[in-house]
């Protein structure tokens, strides 16, 4: 029996939002991605798989920081010292557009038991009786993939790719990330493999009986809220039997709250709904998004941003996204006292004589500019 760990899309070096991890002084989300990868390595050292396959996007960018590189190095060395073979292909995130830039993965050459595939072409990596047919992100992934031939011998054959895949029954590429330089590859001709280990799509997915996306080890956007994060354990038996087990990693909670639709709510109800949603989700240590849809601008301007800031302070990130109601500038008698600051100011300038030398248009522009700056500041604080 062969025990293989398949992971992908660790995106080391990613960082987001403003929250700083107190222990390290580093961006909290950057630390989170480190933690997820370290958890995986800890697990591997304990369970000792025969091989680890990383299906690309080990790093988040072509030029990760020294800190990110040094972190990955320390983890790869732990695996190397334990004698666990580690195969990694370059994904679209770390592959440079220009070859002369050089690939960051090349730094890990010469570490025992580490196999790096980043040369823009198909390569075969052999580890005992296991053949890993590796296709990194490359300019012409379709033709590189065609070079793969499963060698029918006594050993095991695995294909390792980083792309959005197409296959029979899936007429359109369904595993797109919509990020830069994304490649699409058809896997219909990849038959007679014991397993196809895929990277790029961040949600753990069985594409075909023999082909899986491991998914990412952390969440990198609100599109990735759903589904567990972790890695796959693939057990291949000599008789051709196979078992795929998913292992979840502990990651930070990311929540996309049910949007508040303001259409049929009055000002009081809108304010209550926002407060209620915030308290209800218990934002402590979480990454949260709340959409407030169809909110009239004058109500938005009367929100208590200081109070909302206080209520969401314990979150790693709490994002409130406002979508404003259109055509709401015709204020009826319903809300005479709650016109927005903008409207009041505009009204003031038009109605009153402010002095013969004052350019009203200029004054209005300046006033609006300061109000916008102030609003922006109070949102950012
Ligand atoms: Mn990718």
């Amino acid at each position: 029996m062969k025990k293989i760990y398949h992971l992908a899309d660790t995106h080391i070096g990613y960082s987001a939002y403003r929250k700083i991890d107190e222990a390290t002084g580093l961006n909290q989300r950057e630390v989170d991605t480190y933690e997820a990868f370290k958890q995986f390595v800890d697990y591997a050292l304990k369970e000792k798989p025969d091989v680890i396959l990383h299906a690309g996007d080990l790093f988040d960018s072509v030029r990760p920081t020294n800190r990110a590189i040094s972190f990955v190095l320390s983890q790869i060395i732990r695996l190397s010292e334990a004698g666990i073979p580690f195969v990694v292909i370059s994904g679209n995130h770390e592959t440079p557009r220009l070859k002369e830039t050089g690939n960051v993965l090349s730094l890990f050459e010469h570490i025992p038991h580490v196999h790096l595939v980043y040369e823009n072409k198909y390569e075969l990596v052999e580890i005992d009786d296991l053949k890993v047919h590796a296709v990194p992100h490359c300019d012409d992934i379709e033709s590189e993939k065609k070079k793969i031939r499963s060698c029918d011998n006594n050993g095991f054959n695995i294909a390792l790719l980083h792309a959005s895949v197409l296959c029979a029954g899936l007429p359109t590429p369904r595993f797109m990330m919509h990020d830069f330089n994304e490649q699409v590859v058809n896997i219909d001709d990849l038959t007679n493999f014991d397993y196809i280990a895929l990277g790029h799509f961040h949600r753990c997915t069985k594409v075909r009986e023999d082909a899986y996306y491991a998914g990412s080890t952390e969440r990198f956007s609100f599109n990735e809220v759903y589904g567990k994060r972790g890695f796959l354990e693939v057990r291949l038996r000599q008789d051709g039997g196979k078992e795929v087990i998913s292992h979840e990693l502990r990651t930070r909670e990311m929540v996309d709250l049910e949007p508040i639709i303001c259409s049929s709510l009055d000002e009081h109800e809108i304010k209550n709904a926002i407060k209620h949603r915030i308290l209800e989700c218990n934002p402590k240590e979480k990454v949260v998004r709340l959409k407030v849809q169809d909110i009239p601008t004058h109500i938005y301007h009367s929100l208590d941003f200081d109070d909302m800031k206080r209520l969401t302070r314990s979150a790693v990130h709490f994002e409130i996204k406002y979508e404003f109601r259109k055509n709401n500038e015709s204020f009826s008698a319903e809300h005479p006292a709650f016109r927005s600051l903008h409207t009041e100011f505009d009204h003031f300038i038009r109605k009153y004589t402010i002095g013969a030398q004052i350019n009203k248009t200029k004054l209005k522009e300046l006033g609006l500019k300061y109000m916008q700056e102030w609003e922006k500041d109070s949102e950012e604080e």
Side-chain angles (χ1 to χ4, degrees):
M1 205 265 290
K2 275 276 180 226
K3 185 160 89 178
I4 296 153
Y5 280 2
H6 166 203
L7 84 161
D9 297 280
T10 42
H11 289 263
I12 302 300
Y14 165 88
S15 72
Y17 317 132
R18 294 161 167 232
K19 179 74 191 299
I20 299 299
D21 170 50
E22 279 177 23
T24 56
L26 303 177
N27 179 278
Q28 183 63 61
R29 294 300 284 149
E30 177 176 351
V31 173
D32 289 348
T33 61
Y34 292 177
E35 289 293 325
F37 188 50
K38 186 170 173 292
Q39 256 184 74
F40 167 79
V41 174
D42 290 346
Y43 199 93
L45 292 179
K46 210 170 94 222
E47 302 296 327
K48 303 209 181 334
D50 296 302
V51 63
I52 295 170
L53 305 177
H54 192 304
D57 287 352
L58 171 58
F59 287 104
D60 189 53
S61 67
V62 174
R63 296 176 194 275
T65 60
N66 290 345
R67 182 170 62 241
I69 295 168
S70 143
F71 167 77
V72 166
L73 182 63
S74 68
Q75 298 307 315
I76 288 184
I77 284 175
R78 292 177 73 205
L79 295 172
S80 172
E81 284 173 349
I84 302 171
F86 183 67
V87 185
V88 54
I89 57 173
S90 186
N92 59 318
H93 274 259
E94 64 238 310
T95 304
R97 279 165 204 261
L98 300 170
K99 274 180 198 154
E100 51 269 36
T101 305
N103 195 302
V104 59
L105 297 181
S106 67
L107 291 172
F108 309 109
E109 292 279 11
H110 314 299
I111 299 175
H113 312 293
V114 176
H115 307 266
L116 308 138
V117 181
Y118 56 87
E119 296 273 22
N120 253 277
K121 61 181 200 311
Y122 162 71
E123 285 177 44
L124 177 64
V125 177
E126 291 185 74
I127 300 160
D128 302 325
D129 59 345
L130 184 78
K131 289 190 165 62
V132 182
H133 303 264
V135 181
H137 175 83
C138 50
D139 302 332
D140 189 355
I141 192 163
E142 195 57 41
S143 70
E144 290 305 316
K145 177 216 63 183
K146 288 200 174 97
K147 294 178 188 165
I148 304 182
R149 297 272 174 275
S150 86
C151 335
D152 50 342
N153 53 17
N154 301 322
F156 297 99
N157 283 279
I158 289 179
L160 178 63
L161 299 107
H162 186 95
S164 163
V165 298
L166 270 175
C167 64
L170 287 177
T172 50
R174 196 168 295 172
F175 306 108
M176 305 290 285
M177 292 299 294
H178 305 289
D179 58 1
F180 60 95
N181 218 358
E182 187 169 30
Q183 300 282 340
V184 179
V185 73
N186 190 309
I187 58 166
D188 282 338
D189 51 350
L190 294 183
T191 52
N192 296 317
F193 284 86
D194 294 291
Y195 183 71
I196 300 176
L198 301 168
H200 185 55
F201 188 60
H202 284 189
R203 189 164 176 175
C204 179
T205 308
K206 179 182 182 176
V207 174
R208 215 169 62 183
E209 209 46 56
D210 58 349
Y212 288 74
Y213 279 105
S216 57
T217 49
E218 245 293 351
R219 293 178 176 84
F220 301 101
S221 86
F222 283 100
N223 298 328
E224 298 173 22
V225 164
Y226 302 103
K228 292 171 180 171
R229 303 291 126 171
F231 64 97
L232 294 171
E233 173 178 339
V234 186
R235 295 179 180 179
L236 300 177
R237 289 193 305 271
Q238 301 292 345
D239 65 5
K242 177 175 94 271
E243 202 183 341
V244 181
I245 304 150
S246 82
H247 293 282
E248 190 177 358
L249 295 169
R250 291 183 316 275
T251 51
R252 187 167 301 283
E253 269 191 72
M254 190 183 252
V255 199
D256 199 7
L257 296 174
E258 190 194 333
I260 295 170
I261 300 155
C262 303
S263 320
S264 60
L265 305 178
D266 65 21
E267 177 167 349
H268 182 69
E269 287 167 330
I270 291 172
K271 288 178 177 175
N272 267 345
I274 294 173
K275 192 163 179 169
H276 189 73
R277 280 279 203 292
I278 294 171
L279 293 173
E280 194 180 42
C281 80
N282 183 24
K284 195 171 190 302
E285 301 295 323
K286 296 176 185 169
V287 175
V288 191
R289 177 171 72 178
L290 171 60
K291 283 185 184 170
V292 180
Q293 295 168 334
D294 201 33
I295 185 169
T297 45
H298 71 284
I299 295 181
Y300 167 79
H301 290 303
S302 72
L303 293 176
D304 187 345
F305 291 105
D306 286 339
D307 191 44
M308 288 196 277
K309 197 184 140 191
R310 188 179 58 80
L311 295 173
T312 59
R313 188 174 288 152
S314 63
V316 160
H317 176 70
F318 201 111
E319 182 174 316
I320 305 183
K321 245 187 127 181
Y322 299 94
E323 290 161 26
F324 297 102
R325 182 177 301 176
K326 303 215 168 53
N327 312 320
N328 67 322
E329 295 307 324
S330 56
F331 294 107
S332 62
E334 285 172 43
H335 305 288
F338 286 97
R339 298 202 294 193
S340 77
L341 198 53
H342 291 183
T343 317
E344 289 292 351
F345 186 65
D346 186 42
H347 179 72
F348 165 77
I349 286 182
R350 271 188 285 134
K351 195 165 176 187
Y352 296 93
T353 313
I354 322 167
Q357 305 305 317
I358 306 285
N359 180 336
K360 284 193 172 191
T361 315
K362 188 105 189 262
L363 182 65
K364 187 181 155 188
E365 276 172 13
L366 274 174
L368 287 175
K369 186 176 153 237
Y370 291 131
M371 277 187 267
Q372 274 164 3
E373 278 174 16
W374 172 76
E375 278 156 17
K376 225 178 135 200
D377 285 349
S378 57
E379 265 177 69
E380 279 175 5
E381 264 163 24

